[in-house]
Amino acid sequence: MKKITVSAPGKIMLMGEHAVVYGYPCIVTAVSERMTVTLEESDEMILPPGDTRFIEIILEMMQVSMMKISTNGFSSGYGLGSSSAITVSLVKALSEYIGKKLNKKQIFDIAYKAVLKVQGKGSGFDVAAAIWGGTLYFVTGGKVIEPLHIKEMPLVVGYTGVKADTVSLIQNVAEKMEKESEKMQRIYDAIGKLVDDAKIQMLVGDWGRVGKFMNYNQEYLRDLGVSTPLLEQLISSSISAGAYGAKLSGAGGGDCMITLGDNNDIKKAIQDAGGAVLDIKTNAEGVRVE
Ligand code: PMV
């Protein structure tokens, strides 16, 4: 019986969230946590339990009607991009299964379309990370997808334990954009500049400078109204414990924060402030057949 398993990594947004929805760049890294999708021959459609909106859209787009699909991997609660990792794995698995090989850009276009259909808005940075892996400089909709060859980054990921609703956070920011468009435009311009500066310093491995840019980025995210008291607490505790810098990662409202400076004092400070430290490595490999 025909069977295929494909896996793709989750992601952590390093810099540039929210602004990237409006045409600016961001930097994202693929992480060691992966989702897998297994396809098996079947005479009926069998879907995995849970939210299958992304899967159903892909099946419709790729005109597949009979298949057993199972998924496995990390919890969707962390905000590490489980939906995009599943979506990308499924597109790759179906293309291999039916013998119609797709290149990375073709996988991106299909998976990103599915994400837009479910979420309405989004930059596609998570889809790109799941496909290309590594660390990417990414511009909205995949206009630029540039792999960055970065030395090992001393990154610690702190989890708030609070599930964020990305779609409503994007919506809140969009409403703010309508009311205060000039101010928001200034914030986005500044974030875009920070991302470009951080890219240069990441490539040379100057973590002190990158940490400073992260702190500035966090100030703008605070201005956008997407930070929370708990995120602020984890961020300030890690900096007091000696981190180069720290910020929330992703839409905000909960999920994860990141901090630069990998040592036990920083990890302990995050735990003491009420967060959990996730054991995550950056720069993971992109989608692959297992
Ligand atoms: O909540 P996350 O981790 O999926 O990150 C969302 C990042 C945004 O920039 C707010 C949205 C996007 O699609 O880029």
Side-chain angles (χ1 to χ4, degrees):
M1 202 164 61
K2 213 168 162 184
K3 184 173 171 180
I4 184 166
T5 297
V6 169
S7 80
K11 54 78 195 148
I12 277 283
M13 176 67 97
L14 296 176
M15 301 266 300
E17 50 272 270
H18 287 291
V20 68
V21 178
Y22 295 91
Y24 292 85
C26 73
I27 300 175
V28 57
T29 190
V31 297
S32 44
E33 297 288 308
R34 304 182 78 83
M35 296 301 299
T36 62
V37 169
T38 299
L39 302 182
E40 285 170 87
E41 205 173 325
S42 167
D43 49 16
E44 57 181 325
M45 184 55 94
I46 305 174
L47 297 181
D51 184 355
T52 54
R53 286 174 301 167
F54 292 91
I55 293 177
E56 286 177 56
I57 285 178
I58 293 295
L59 293 173
E60 198 186 305
M61 286 168 76
M62 295 181 76
Q63 297 176 338
V64 176
S65 56
M66 283 189 292
M67 188 82 71
K68 178 174 179 214
I69 301 173
S70 38
T71 58
N72 213 330
F74 58 89
S75 159
S76 63
Y78 295 131
L80 292 178
S82 56
S83 301
S84 36
I86 286 181
T87 308
V88 163
S89 298
L90 179 61
V91 175
K92 170 88 175 164
L94 285 170
S95 78
E96 298 280 334
Y97 194 94
I98 57 185
K100 186 178 178 301
K101 287 225 171 179
L102 299 173
N103 65 29
K104 289 185 168 110
K105 189 67 174 71
Q106 287 168 320
I107 297 175
F108 179 85
D109 289 341
I110 296 171
Y112 182 44
K113 212 180 249 176
V115 168
L116 288 183
K117 277 193 180 175
V118 175
Q119 284 188 189
K121 236 181 177 156
S123 65
F125 80 106
D126 41 4
V127 175
I131 297 169
W132 274 264
T135 300
L136 303 174
Y137 176 85
F138 175 90
V139 177
T140 329
K143 281 189 209 82
V144 178
I145 301 175
E146 182 190 340
L148 301 178
H149 301 288
I150 287 174
K151 287 186 223 129
E152 209 178 316
M153 195 181 306
L155 194 79
V156 177
V157 181
Y159 174 53
T160 58
V162 178
K163 175 90 192 101
D165 180 355
T166 301
V167 176
S168 58
L169 283 153
I170 294 178
Q171 189 55 37
N172 294 349
V173 172
E175 282 164 19
K176 243 185 155 163
M177 184 78 179
E178 270 178 29
K179 285 192 215 126
E180 307 172 77
S181 73
E182 257 178 51
K183 179 184 160 198
M184 297 290 275
Q185 203 59 57
R186 273 202 305 276
I187 293 178
Y188 291 147
D189 285 343
I191 293 176
K193 167 111 186 30
L194 278 175
V195 170
D196 284 334
D197 290 344
K199 173 186 164 186
I200 295 168
Q201 300 307 330
M202 278 182 193
L203 287 169
V204 296
D206 186 339
W207 305 122
R209 302 278 283 278
V210 176
K212 275 209 180 90
F213 296 139
M214 280 188 171
N215 290 340
Y216 296 142
N217 194 165
Q218 176 60 21
E219 284 179 28
Y220 291 119
L221 289 164
R222 217 174 279 142
D223 286 348
L224 292 182
V226 297
S227 194
T228 67
L230 180 54
L231 280 166
E232 291 297 329
Q233 221 170 308
L234 303 190
I235 288 165
S236 60
S237 305
S238 70
I239 291 171
S240 304
Y244 296 119
K247 59 182 278 298
L248 66 83
S249 171
D255 286 347
C256 292
M257 51 75 72
I258 51 173
T259 178
L260 268 186
D262 192 0
N263 70 47
N264 288 334
D265 290 347
I266 294 170
K267 290 180 182 164
K268 186 170 179 308
I270 290 173
Q271 284 157 347
D272 290 347
V277 173
L278 302 184
D279 184 18
I280 278 176
K281 305 259 174 316
T282 58
N283 259 327
E285 191 187 341
V287 66
R288 64 173 183 236
V289 177
E290 293 294 333

